[in-house]
């Protein structure tokens, strides 16, 4: 029934298996990828014709995690998976980025790649398997895909590179880097690191690229057994259209791209486009030299040729900068008056308002995933409204771009956060992009670093970020620092580097061509370091270290520990005691299962009062000590005295006075203050107190009195 084909190899200590022919046989390409007990089903389908008038490549990658994969049932009322989680969105982007450039130029048929994590062993993350599966499914499908690609995760533990570390091993790693590439070159890098050098990071990329070669070979072996016939596709030849456009408006485009102001430049390019379109694109009444689709594609090529050619020939860029020159920077700390911390970071025509907000453990983010529910104490949210590029557009929830850029900045900053035990706040950063012309994610890194320092968060060092570009032509290669939007759009690489003066904390690379070499990456990293140091110096003009104290608008906080056997006493029956502490002190109190108590308030006296109340509840009374207490109950056999926080003890009638009394009411009444000595505990652990050994006027023990019964 099944024509099952598979390949297997030993890879980083575990068996990787890729098989096809048994599941999802109606898809153009489908494979099941297994590594350990993690399994991902990868499918690829593509339309056999393009939609008329479509001028872009409609590739969609959907990565999904099913809760049954780890034996869990989703939460919520409906008990089924809902909208994509951030992890699913980020993994979809991760898989999209290395495969998109490898489709044949001009292919505009719709392609959908679906990756489903169906089994998860809590050790091997499914994202690498998703990339391998997507590559294999596309190769088998017959689509015009110039793969395959491979992928690998690289850790750095005790000075050694570790290929495909497990989830547990990553906790001890100074690096979490994912790299994807072809047999010849690197296509994509995504990473977070703890201030590692450029050489270590480059070595990790190369180690990952080398380790994935057997996987690429395995996909080729599987394709030889099971691949479909290649799809018959010939890209349109627009060389004549390109030549006509260059002849008509080539000089206009050169003049337009010499304008440094973005909006003026866009207007000049638009005028050249309109001029060429009016002359070359026909109408129903008067047919022209080319169709609208051919014009769109060819005009973009004409733009690219002007920008790229000028940079290679002159070493000067669109705005007149040298290849390694960073745009002018202005950084302002404390930009907003009532926030806990804020900054305005402007680099050329890219600008971000960044805000830091400090909260308590109540503000931690709950994250539900295949490995269970976890809590995050550090959040970074990135917003990109349409007005930032002078356009109108839909406003709504965060899209894939916002989630991806926010996570990139999060990775860059997490390495410099203080230890939570020393700084127990929940931190939320928000970046509002108010202008954009290249690398708003790196502006977010810089601005959020300043906002945290402005809020008084004791980060280890400031972090800066820079976006690098690449122009690779047969007659030369140019690496560009701090790229503009047009240079990103018309260039070959988007290479984002973030870090401190000590080392790198994040590296992300996307390639639009068939990969780059180690030498180009090394040059880009070295050039990026100079740019990062320059940006750090400009940031230091606004703020070079964290402020000595928190903002007066931020909550004050203290952490204390109580014995675990006292947690119940602090909480009380049904939470009665802890609610009373909150109401009386005005502070917010949270207590963890390990006895950690977090106390927060806007004013210090409220915190101190709550701490005093908790200490009274949890402190242990000492035998032999004298305490002043309140009579809270009278019985025939004695009185009960509240003498130590919530603790009550019995003063037997024989211990109330030196002389014999008939009934306790002869001596005291409820509510009276009395001095008592803690004599000890009876066989059942009940407190025994004595009044007769203590002078009730002074609270001093009578000389020679021991309180014998």
């Amino acid at each position: 029934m099944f024509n099952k084909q598979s390949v297997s190899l030993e890879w980083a200590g575990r068996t990787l298996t890729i098989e096809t022919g048994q599941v999802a046989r109606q898809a153009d390409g489908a494979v099941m990828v297994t590594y350990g007990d993690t399994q991902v089903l990868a499918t690829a389908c593509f339309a056999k014709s393009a939609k008329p008038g479509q001028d872009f490549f409609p590739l969609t990658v959907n990565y999904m995690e099913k809760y049954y994969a780890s034996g869990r049932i989703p939460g919520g009322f409906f008990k089924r998976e809902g909208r994509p989680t951030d992890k699913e969105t980020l993994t979809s982007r991760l898989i999209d980025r290395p495969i998109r450039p490898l489709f044949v130029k001009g292919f505009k048929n719709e392609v959908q790649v679906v990756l489903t994590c169906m089994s998860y062993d809590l050790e091997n993350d499914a994202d690498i398997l998703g990339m391998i599966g997507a590559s294999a499914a596309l190769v088998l499908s017959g689509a015009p895909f110039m793969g395959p690609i491979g992928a690998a995760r690289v850790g750095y533990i005790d000075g050694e590179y570790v290929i495909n570390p497990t989830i547990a091993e990553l906790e001890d790693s100074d690096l979490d880097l994912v790299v994807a590439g072809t047999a010849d070159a690197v296509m994509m890098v995504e990473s977070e690191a703890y201030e590692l050098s450029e050489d270590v990071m480059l070595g990790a990329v190369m180690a990952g690229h080398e380790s994935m070669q057997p996987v690429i070979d395995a996909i080729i072996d599987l394709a030889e057994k099971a691949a479909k016939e290649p799809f018959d596709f010939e890209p349109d030849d627009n060389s004549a259209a390109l030549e006509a456009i260059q002849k008509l408006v080539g000089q206009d485009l050169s003049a337009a791209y010499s304008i440094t102001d973005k909006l003026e430049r866009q207007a000049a390019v638009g005028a050249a486009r309109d001029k060429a379109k009016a002359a070359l694109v026909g109408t129903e009444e008067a047919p022209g030299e080319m169709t609208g689709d051919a014009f769109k594609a060819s005009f973009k090529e004409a733009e690219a040729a002007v920008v790229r050619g000028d940079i290679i020939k002159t070493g000067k860029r669109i705005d007149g900068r040298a290849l390694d020159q960073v745009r002018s920077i202005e950084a302002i700390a404390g930009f907003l008056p009532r926030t806990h911390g804020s900054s305005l970071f402007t680099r050329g025509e890219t600008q971000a308002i960044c805000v830091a907000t400090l909260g308590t453990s109540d503000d931690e983010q709950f994250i539900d995933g295949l490995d269970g529910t976890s809590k995050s104490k550090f959040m970074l949210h990135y917003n990109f409204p349409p007005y930032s590029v002078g356009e109108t557009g839909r406003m709504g929830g965060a899209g894939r771009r916002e989630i991806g850029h926010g996570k990139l900045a999060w990775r860059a900053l997490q390495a410099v956060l203080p230890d939570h035990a020393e700084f127990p706040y929940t931190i939320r950063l928000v970046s509002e992009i108010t202008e954009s012309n290249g690398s708003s994610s790196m502006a977010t890194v810089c601005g959020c670093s300043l906002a945290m320092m402005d809020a008084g968060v004791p980060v280890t060092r400031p972090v800066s970020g820079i976006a690098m570009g690449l122009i690779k032509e047969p007659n030369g290669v140019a690496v560009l620092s701090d790229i503009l939007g047009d240079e990103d759009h018309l260039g070959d690489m988007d290479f984002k580097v973030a870090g401190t003066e000590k080392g790198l904390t994040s590296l992300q690379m996307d390639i639009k061509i068939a990969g780059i070499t180690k030498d180009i990456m090394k040059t880009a990293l070295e050039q990026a370091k100079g740019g990062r140091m320059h940006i750090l110096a400009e940031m230091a003009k606004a703020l070079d270290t964290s402020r000595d104290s928190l903002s007066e608008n931020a909550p004050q906080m203290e952490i204390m520990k109580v014995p675990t056997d006292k947690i119940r006493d602090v909480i009380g029956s049904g939470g009665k005691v802890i609610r009373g502490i909150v109401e009386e002190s005005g502070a917010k109190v949270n207590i963890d299962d390990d006895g950690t108590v977090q106390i927060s308030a806007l004013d210090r006296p409220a915190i101190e009062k709550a701490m005093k109340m908790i200490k009274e509840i949890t402190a242990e009374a000492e035998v032999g000590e004298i305490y002043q207490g309140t009579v809270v109950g009278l019985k025939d056999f004695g009185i009960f005295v509240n003498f130590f926080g919530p603790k009550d003890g019995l003063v037997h009638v024989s211990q109330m006075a030196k002389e014999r009394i008939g009934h306790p009411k002869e001596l005291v009444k409820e509510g009276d203050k009395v001095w008592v000595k803690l004599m000890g505990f009876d066989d059942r652990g009940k407190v025994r107190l004595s009044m007769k050994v203590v002078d009730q006027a002074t609270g001093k023990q009578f000389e020679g009195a021991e309180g014998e019964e």
Side-chain angles (χ1 to χ4, degrees):
M1 182 175 183
F2 302 119
N3 181 21
K4 187 176 175 181
Q5 302 288 341
S6 69
V7 292
S8 295
L9 68 150
E10 288 300 309
W11 189 37
R14 279 144 286 174
T15 301
L16 174 71
T17 300
I18 310 171
E19 55 189 15
T20 188
Q22 185 177 29
V23 178
R25 292 172 296 163
Q26 295 184 49
D28 291 322
V31 296
M32 185 73 84
V33 185
T34 306
Y35 195 54
D37 281 338
T38 298
Q39 283 189 310
V40 173
L41 172 64
T43 64
C45 293
F46 65 97
K48 304 311 180 281
S49 61
K51 292 180 180 178
Q54 189 161 267
D55 61 349
F56 65 96
F57 174 39
L59 168 66
T60 304
V61 177
N62 297 108
Y63 169 82
M64 301 180 293
E65 293 181 337
K66 300 298 184 179
Y67 279 70
Y68 56 69
S70 59
R72 301 186 65 227
I73 295 175
F77 183 78
F78 294 104
K79 296 297 179 185
R80 69 178 299 162
E81 292 81 2
R83 59 171 293 177
T85 64
D86 282 3
K87 167 72 184 300
E88 290 171 318
T89 298
L90 292 167
T91 305
S92 296
R93 285 171 53 88
L94 195 70
I95 297 168
D96 181 299
R97 286 155 47 195
I99 64 175
R100 184 177 290 271
L102 293 178
F103 282 87
V104 172
K105 185 178 180 181
F107 185 69
K108 294 182 173 61
N109 300 20
E110 186 172 2
V111 178
Q112 185 177 38
V113 180
V114 178
L115 301 311
T116 308
C117 179
M118 293 190 155
S119 178
Y120 179 55
D121 61 9
L122 303 178
E123 291 186 358
N124 302 290
D125 202 321
D127 52 3
I128 299 297
L129 305 192
M131 270 187 277
I132 293 170
S135 170
L138 286 167
V139 169
L140 296 181
S141 72
F145 175 69
M146 298 182 294
I149 64 163
R153 172 170 269 107
V154 183
Y156 191 64
I157 304 173
D158 297 330
E160 299 288 337
Y161 296 122
V162 179
I163 302 301
N164 293 343
T166 63
I167 302 295
E169 288 173 332
L170 277 175
E171 294 180 3
D172 300 320
S173 178
D174 292 327
L175 173 68
D176 181 2
L177 180 142
V178 174
V179 58
T182 63
D184 302 317
V186 174
M187 298 295 301
M188 185 278 299
V189 177
E190 182 78 59
S191 66
E192 60 186 72
Y194 287 86
E195 297 182 293
L196 298 178
S197 70
E198 280 79 3
D199 288 341
V200 170
M201 293 293 280
L202 181 58
V205 173
M206 293 299 108
H209 184 251
E210 181 181 352
S211 75
M212 72 179 68
Q213 298 308 311
V215 178
I216 295 174
D217 293 339
I219 295 174
I220 293 172
D221 289 345
L222 184 63
E224 291 175 350
K225 300 176 185 178
K228 294 180 179 178
E229 288 297 319
F231 179 67
D232 186 15
F233 172 75
E234 285 293 332
D236 295 332
D237 182 5
N238 292 326
S239 56
L242 174 61
E243 185 178 347
I245 291 171
Q246 289 175 325
K247 182 177 180 181
L248 184 64
V249 296
Q251 292 184 343
D252 295 347
L253 284 174
S254 294
Y257 277 107
S258 66
I259 300 172
T260 58
D261 181 80
K262 176 185 174 182
L263 296 180
E264 291 182 18
R265 180 170 63 250
Q266 287 179 337
V269 171
R273 183 186 299 109
D274 293 342
K275 176 182 175 181
K277 186 175 182 179
L280 300 173
V281 179
T283 63
E284 292 183 3
E285 294 79 17
E289 293 184 27
M290 63 187 74
T291 64
D293 291 346
F295 176 80
K296 287 179 182 179
S298 301
F299 191 84
K300 182 178 178 180
E301 289 185 41
E303 288 183 84
V306 167
V307 173
R308 297 163 66 90
D310 287 351
I311 289 174
I312 293 295
K313 282 187 291 186
T314 67
K316 293 290 184 182
R317 297 156 65 180
I318 293 172
D319 56 1
R321 282 183 291 150
L323 300 183
D324 62 351
Q325 186 178 353
V326 178
R327 289 171 289 177
S328 60
I329 293 172
E330 182 170 348
I332 301 171
F335 183 68
L336 302 174
R338 289 300 298 271
T339 58
H340 298 168
S342 64
S343 71
L344 175 68
F345 182 84
T346 309
R347 185 182 59 235
E349 294 167 309
T350 297
Q351 184 182 76
I353 296 176
C354 298
V355 182
T357 307
L358 305 180
T360 67
S361 59
D362 285 349
D363 300 306
E364 293 174 356
Q365 181 185 15
F366 284 81
I367 301 172
D368 203 17
L370 293 185
D371 50 358
T373 301
S374 60
K375 293 192 289 186
S376 174
K377 301 174 178 65
F378 176 50
M379 296 161 276
L380 194 153
H381 297 144
Y382 165 100
N383 298 315
F384 191 89
Y387 67 74
S388 64
V389 288
E391 297 176 357
T392 59
R394 175 183 172 274
M395 299 285 286
R400 285 190 172 191
R401 184 179 191 274
E402 284 79 7
I403 292 171
H405 280 39
K407 188 63 175 181
L408 172 59
W410 183 96
R411 289 189 174 106
L413 294 169
Q414 57 85 32
V416 300
L417 295 177
D419 185 80
H420 188 69
E422 299 174 3
F423 190 78
Y425 288 87
T426 296
I427 304 171
R428 182 191 184 222
L429 300 174
V430 178
S431 173
E432 306 285 359
I433 303 303
T434 51
E435 293 182 35
S436 180
N437 186 13
S439 191
S440 56
S441 62
M442 294 297 96
T444 294
V445 171
C446 301
C448 285
S449 178
L450 287 170
M452 281 200 291
M453 293 192 293
D454 182 51
V457 178
V459 298
T460 54
R461 276 167 288 277
V463 180
S464 68
I466 188 170
M468 310 295 292
L470 174 72
I471 304 296
K472 189 172 184 290
E473 292 286 336
N475 60 333
V477 175
V479 176
L480 315 179
S481 295
D482 182 25
I483 55 175
L484 299 173
D486 286 333
E487 292 170 337
D488 182 7
H489 181 62
L490 301 173
D492 297 323
M493 177 180 76
D494 185 7
F495 191 65
K496 297 183 173 74
V497 187
T500 67
E501 62 180 2
K502 183 180 176 182
L504 300 183
T505 58
S506 185
L507 179 66
Q508 184 188 83
M509 184 186 75
D510 293 315
I511 294 296
K512 300 173 187 175
I513 54 178
I516 62 170
T517 63
K518 179 180 179 180
D519 289 340
I520 293 176
M521 283 189 66
K522 184 176 178 65
T523 300
L525 281 169
E526 291 173 351
Q527 192 166 311
K529 184 175 183 178
R532 286 195 304 105
M533 295 303 111
H534 168 73
I535 295 169
L536 281 172
E538 294 298 308
M539 290 166 58
K541 295 177 182 178
L543 195 61
D544 61 354
T545 188
S546 296
R547 300 198 189 277
D548 295 333
S549 59
L550 297 181
S551 163
E552 61 181 17
N553 298 320
Q556 305 294 309
M557 190 179 299
E558 285 290 342
I559 297 291
M560 62 184 294
K561 293 280 280 188
V562 301
T564 54
D565 59 348
K566 300 293 183 182
I567 294 174
R568 181 177 296 179
D569 297 335
V570 176
I571 295 174
S573 178
K576 181 179 178 181
V577 175
I578 199 167
R579 285 198 303 270
I581 295 172
V582 171
E583 290 172 4
E584 187 174 338
S585 67
K588 184 186 292 185
V589 180
N590 293 288
I591 185 165
D592 293 334
D593 293 340
D594 64 352
T596 301
V597 183
Q598 188 182 84
I599 307 167
S600 60
L602 288 176
D603 59 279
R604 191 74 197 173
I607 293 177
E608 292 174 350
K609 185 170 184 178
M611 291 180 68
K612 181 175 182 293
M613 295 173 72
I614 293 171
K615 286 177 180 177
E616 288 175 350
I617 294 170
T618 58
E620 292 288 347
E622 297 183 22
V623 175
E625 291 296 314
I626 294 173
Y627 301 95
Q628 186 177 43
T630 304
V631 178
V632 294
L634 280 74
K635 302 292 182 181
D636 293 342
F637 52 82
I639 63 174
F640 287 99
V641 177
N642 174 232
F643 71 101
F644 192 86
K647 288 184 173 61
D648 296 345
L650 172 66
V651 182
H652 192 268
V653 67
S654 64
Q655 291 291 318
M656 292 184 64
K658 291 182 178 181
E659 66 279 2
R660 185 178 179 84
I661 60 173
H663 194 279
K665 65 182 180 181
E666 297 175 13
L667 195 62
V668 297
K669 64 181 182 298
E670 198 168 310
D672 284 353
K673 298 290 186 181
V674 295
W675 290 98
V676 294
K677 179 180 179 181
L678 176 57
M679 307 302 295
F681 305 89
D682 64 17
D683 295 340
R684 295 178 297 169
K686 301 293 185 181
V687 175
R688 294 189 295 109
L689 303 174
S690 175
M691 288 173 56
K692 73 179 184 180
V693 299
V694 184
D695 185 340
Q696 294 300 311
T698 64
K700 302 291 186 181
Q701 181 174 318
F702 290 121
E703 190 170 345
E706 295 299 332
E708 295 178 359
E709 296 188 23

